[in-house]
Amino acid sequence: MEKCKCYKNENKKDGLCQKYKSKIDGLSVHCSGFWTEDKIRHFKHYAEMFSTGMKNKWQGRLYYIDLFAGPGKCIIRENQKEIDGTCLEVASLKDKFKKYFFVDKNITCIEDLKKRLEKHNNIEYYNDDCNIAIKKIVEEIPDNSLSLAIVDPDSLQFHFNSYKELAKRKIDLIVNYPICPVGRAFSSVLSKKSNSVILDKFHPGWRDVVDVNKKSWRMAMGDLIKDYINKIERLGYYSNSVKAPFKNDKNATMYYLLMFSKDKRGIEFWDKIINSFKKKKSLQPMF
Ligand SMILES: C[S@@+](CC[C@H](N)C(=O)[O-])C[C@H]1O[C@@H](n2cnc3c(N)ncnc32)[C@H](O)[C@@H]1O
């Protein structure tokens, strides 16, 4: 099978592979790097701990939100391995959530996700920008409930104001902080190739951290992430202490998974997951 060139963006459209369809069901697949498999395992593990660990205390009041749902399956471009996406993994967990909210602005993703999950009920689909859909979802979630939201964008599509919407309820958050796209956006703004509208929505107040005259964002990356985390904490969250960097084959960090919870136990669960993955990794190299 020929290696897919999606990484060069030749065959990729809104993240969907334009070269391959699923061999299993003929539907669309999200084109992903090999590190994606581990990322989905992290999401699944936490969702499993959450739905099983909280089912007694929060009986019938657990909700799951995926704001960047994807089509339900991914193809790993390095070896064409087909894997289930986070929505399929979480929907098939033994202990069910009361309701699932799946959002994707790409209509093909939503249509294919619906087909793949047609046997499941209690799923509400939104074919919309998640920054818009989020208001309706938060209104639908009762006050006295506990939820888990996954924020897994390709780039800087998640607006900071959307955290303020999520903070209106008790919702644990696992967030993909996309290092490479953030770096590219800063380079482009600092070299005046583009305006700062996208960055301003992603991280309001970034100018307090990055010296725009230095024309380099690299030195400021650590401070930027810290500031981003602090701003979310100020909305009433604790955040994870153990770092979860996801690296490519050149050892460059592609993204960090950040975790936020209004309860310290959420953070303890997440740190355990990160540490157990770290231990396994040192025993089993990726390739
Ligand atoms: C990295 S993929 C998600 C993969 C998914 N989490 C999984 O496990 O398979 C990102 C998805 O976000 C969607 N997307 C991009 N911008 C969006 C936005 N503003 N609102 C909602 N979905 C968006 C894309 O269509 C794409 O399917």
Side-chain angles (χ1 to χ4, degrees), residues 67-85:
L67 293 165
F68 295 85
K73 279 190 187 285
C74 306
I75 187 158
I76 304 297
R77 57 182 163 249
E78 288 83 3
N79 56 14
Q80 280 82 51
K81 183 177 172 190
E82 213 174 300
I83 59 171
D84 281 351

Side-chain angles (χ1 to χ4, degrees), residues 14 30 39-40 66-71 74 85-86 103-106 109 128-131 152-154 157:
D14 287 340
H30 190 269
K39 174 185 74 177
I40 293 173
D66 200 318
L67 293 165
F68 295 85
C74 306
T86 314
V103 187
D104 203 291
K105 71 166 196 197
N106 183 323
C109 286
D128 209 343
D129 184 318
C130 63
N131 300 292
D152 183 25
D154 293 308
Q157 296 104 335

Side-chain angles (χ1 to χ4, degrees), residues 225-265:
I225 300 178
K226 257 190 231 155
D227 187 66
Y228 188 81
I229 293 173
N230 288 343
K231 284 195 162 87
I232 299 173
E233 284 177 341
R234 266 180 248 138
L235 299 174
Y237 289 100
Y238 299 104
S239 76
N240 58 313
S241 49
V242 185
K243 271 194 177 166
F246 286 72
K247 299 189 176 193
N248 67 9
D249 51 354
K250 296 188 178 76
N251 210 28
T253 301
M254 307 298 291
Y255 44 77
Y256 282 108
L257 288 188
L258 310 176
M259 203 272 164
F260 301 93
S261 178
K262 291 189 173 173
D263 192 316
K264 277 190 178 155
R265 274 171 308 170

Side-chain angles (χ1 to χ4, degrees), residues 159-201:
H159 300 169
F160 197 88
N161 274 344
S162 296
Y163 287 115
K164 295 183 186 163
E165 286 299 319
L166 290 168
K168 290 178 180 168
R169 298 284 183 274
K170 203 168 167 32
I171 306 179
D172 282 5
L173 314 172
I174 307 180
V175 178
N176 173 336
Y177 184 92
I179 298 270
C180 292
V182 171
R184 279 196 296 274
F186 272 104
S187 293
S188 175
V189 170
L190 295 183
S191 61
K192 301 204 166 47
K193 282 191 193 132
S194 62
N195 66 33
S196 63
V197 175
I198 293 174
L199 263 182
D200 294 340
K201 285 186 180 160

Side-chain angles (χ1 to χ4, degrees), residues 88-130:
L88 260 65
E89 290 283 11
V90 173
S92 61
L93 289 174
K94 181 170 70 64
D95 291 309
K96 303 293 178 207
F97 289 81
K98 162 104 173 152
K99 202 170 196 179
Y100 303 77
F101 299 93
F102 291 157
V103 187
D104 203 291
K105 71 166 196 197
N106 183 323
I107 181 69
T108 308
C109 286
I110 290 295
E111 279 173 354
D112 288 356
L113 195 56
K114 271 186 192 169
K115 286 179 196 154
R116 285 173 168 143
L117 289 168
E118 64 186 1
K119 292 199 181 94
H120 293 254
N121 47 25
N122 296 340
I123 302 180
E124 223 170 90
Y125 297 91
Y126 289 80
N127 175 216
D128 209 343
D129 184 318
C130 63

